[in-house]
Amino acid sequence: MHLLDSINDVGFLSAVTIMCEIGDFSIFKSPKQLFDYFGMDPKVNESGKFKGTECPMSKRGSRIARLVALANIHTKRNGEALNPHLHAYYQKKVVSKPKKVALGAVMHKVCNIIFAVLRDGKSFKFRSPEEHRQNYKPQLTLIA
């Protein structure tokens, strides 16, 4: 619970709720499985008049996990973003996609963060994508 509490806009009660809903984390082998478990996957209704924008979220899983993603794109009263990297990502997506589709992309990123924090057993560190790439490059050279 303390690992989840280290993520932006995940309070102690939200962390407890998410951990209670997840239960045994070892059953999830990939972030996609956790994403589906939280009910953030699209609910596809196939018919002859199918349109991609009319594909709502299934919402069968955790309401708290969806609210965490929504809270990460909000701004404070002074206009400062709570999570500047996810807010910038959301603003970039809104230019080319509908708002709910962009919010779904942010939810996917937050789910990936939750999965990584629980898998690695390390608290969340706020890094920009550029800092992450710089830290990741030395690992790639060691593997190759």
Side-chain angles (χ1 to χ4, degrees):
M1 288 179 280
H2 297 292
L3 295 173
L4 289 180
D5 195 23
S6 68
I7 301 172
N8 293 354
D9 294 323
V10 177
F12 181 73
L13 290 177
S14 298
V16 169
T17 306
I18 289 172
M19 286 307 296
C20 289
E21 289 174 349
I22 289 175
D24 183 19
F25 179 71
S26 64
I27 62 172
F28 300 107
K29 304 295 184 227
S30 70
K32 178 67 176 155
Q33 290 177 342
L34 186 62
F35 188 74
D36 292 343
Y37 184 77
F38 282 153
M40 296 180 198
D41 56 331
K43 180 173 80 172
V44 179
N45 295 324
E46 295 182 352
S47 70
K49 296 182 181 180
F50 177 78
K51 290 185 181 178
T53 58
E54 295 176 6
C55 191
M57 189 182 311
S58 69
K59 294 187 182 176
R60 61 187 147 89
S62 173
R63 180 176 65 97
I64 298 293
R66 290 191 298 272
L67 289 176
V68 167
L70 186 62
N72 269 294
I73 63 169
H74 282 296
T75 57
K76 298 177 185 175
R77 290 183 184 183
N78 62 2
E80 181 184 340
L82 295 172
N83 187 334
H85 302 298
L86 284 178
H87 184 73
Y89 178 75
Y90 174 74
Q91 294 299 327
K92 186 176 100 175
K93 288 289 184 185
V94 166
V95 172
S96 62
K97 306 236 181 258
K99 287 184 179 182
K100 290 194 177 186
V101 173
L103 182 60
V106 171
M107 288 179 186
H108 197 72
K109 286 225 180 251
V110 169
C111 186
N112 287 344
I113 291 170
I114 290 172
F115 182 82
V117 164
L118 293 175
R119 178 196 61 208
D120 297 341
K122 297 178 183 175
S123 61
F124 178 71
K125 293 180 183 164
F126 195 70
R127 293 186 295 196
S128 69
E130 291 79 24
E131 291 172 336
H132 181 70
R133 278 189 220 107
Q134 291 300 322
N135 291 340
Y136 191 63
K137 280 183 182 178
Q139 292 177 359
L140 289 178
T141 56
L142 291 175
I143 294 171

